[in-house]
Amino acid sequence: MLLRHIARPLLASSFIYDGVQAARNPSEHVATAKTGSALATQALGAEPLSEKQVTTLVRAHGIATAAAGTLLALGKAPRASAMALALLTLPLAVVNQPFTAPKEERGPRTERFLRNLASVGAALIAGADLEGRPGLSWRVQQARAARAEAKAAAES
């Protein structure tokens, strides 16, 4: 369908842009990422990450996001790349959640949080798109039915 060929690149464009910006200018994202990494390391009982490690993680996350967005835009493995984008965006939503933020930060964080949630939702919808083809569960069900039919025919 023509709509998919237009909608996927449009959806992917924001992921690609955000990924490239994070990879090229990680310093803009390090403070937020440091907060998120501190929560994760504390929950895991590990030592906090250094600034250099967080910067490397921000760059790697940006590259992965841009790569998955590019694959989605090009229609290469669109379901897998859309699901990867959803999974890559979830940590951003967690870090940007406004519920524990100081009052002066709640407005901008709420905006980023909602944008991240919308991106996750859009990526999940794109990842669930079967393009009119049967899904895996239907294929398994059909294979089982054919096998049972063949077995019944062989026994009679």
Side-chain angles (χ1 to χ4, degrees):
M1 174 182 247
L2 181 63
L3 180 61
R4 285 183 189 91
H5 297 293
I6 295 169
R8 283 183 184 149
L10 291 174
L11 173 61
S13 64
S14 68
F15 289 109
I16 295 168
Y17 177 78
D18 289 343
V20 168
Q21 289 304 313
R24 291 183 69 196
N25 305 312
S27 58
E28 296 174 5
H29 307 276
V30 168
T32 305
K34 196 141 178 84
T35 304
S37 71
L39 289 171
T41 53
Q42 184 181 23
L44 295 172
E47 291 185 33
L49 299 177
S50 70
E51 183 121 359
K52 185 176 180 180
Q53 290 171 321
V54 173
T55 302
T56 302
L57 283 175
V58 167
R59 274 203 169 110
H61 186 271
I63 291 167
T65 302
T70 302
L71 288 173
L72 179 63
L74 296 174
K76 304 294 181 190
R79 293 182 69 201
S81 57
M83 291 302 194
L85 288 169
L87 289 173
L88 286 166
T89 307
L90 273 177
L92 301 177
V94 171
V95 169
N96 287 320
Q97 59 83 17
F99 310 114
T100 59
K103 191 170 182 104
E104 61 274 358
E105 289 182 27
R106 284 195 183 149
R109 284 181 76 167
T110 301
E111 182 181 328
R112 288 192 306 263
F113 176 67
L114 292 174
R115 190 171 359 112
N116 290 332
L117 287 181
S119 295
V120 168
L124 287 173
I125 289 171
D129 180 22
L130 299 176
E131 299 181 16
R133 295 185 299 237
L136 184 60
S137 63
W138 183 87
R139 292 177 191 182
V140 168
Q141 183 182 23
Q142 293 301 312
R144 286 180 180 160
R147 191 175 336 134
E149 192 175 296
K151 185 178 179 182
E155 290 175 354
S156 50

